[in-house]
Each structure stands twice: as C-alpha cells, then as structure tokens.
Amino acid sequence: MRIKEDKVAAGAPKNAALTPNLGFGLTTAFRHIALQVPLYYNPKTAVKNGKWNVGVGLGYKF
C-alpha cells in the first residue's frame, strides 16, 4: 500500500491518498465453490480521476 497526497494544480484530476501496488480482496469457500470480492485501483489519467473498482468472482476450488 502507498499512502501519499497527490500534488496537482487546482481542479486537475488526482489519485486517492491510499493506493495499492496491486489489488486486494476477500475470498470465501464453501465445499468446492469459491466466492471472491477483489478491489483494485485505476490510477488517474490526463482526463479522469483515479478510482477504486470492486469485482466479484465465482470459482471452483480443487
């Protein structure tokens, strides 16, 4: 995890103060069925602010 304040001009897009190097999330398994809820961060671009995204995954545990 990185914790830093993005220094940009007033009104310009900026990243969140807390950003991961990768993503993170929760996983739970019941018998052979696994459910995952990952969170990841897309950094800012020249036209969009950075934002957190949530996903959902369903899988089979061997």
Side-chain angles (χ1 to χ4, degrees), residues 18-46:
L18 181 65
T19 59
N21 288 334
L22 296 171
F24 66 95
L26 301 171
T27 301
T28 186
F30 178 72
R31 297 186 185 180
H32 289 284
I33 303 298
L35 178 66
Q36 295 182 320
V37 181
L39 292 116
Y40 60 95
Y41 185 79
N42 282 348
K44 72 177 181 179
T45 64

Side-chain angles (χ1 to χ4, degrees), residues 1-6 15-21 52:
M1 296 299 276
R2 285 181 260 168
I3 301 172
K4 71 173 192 139
E5 185 175 349
D6 205 8
N15 281 320
L18 181 65
T19 59
N21 288 334
W52 286 93

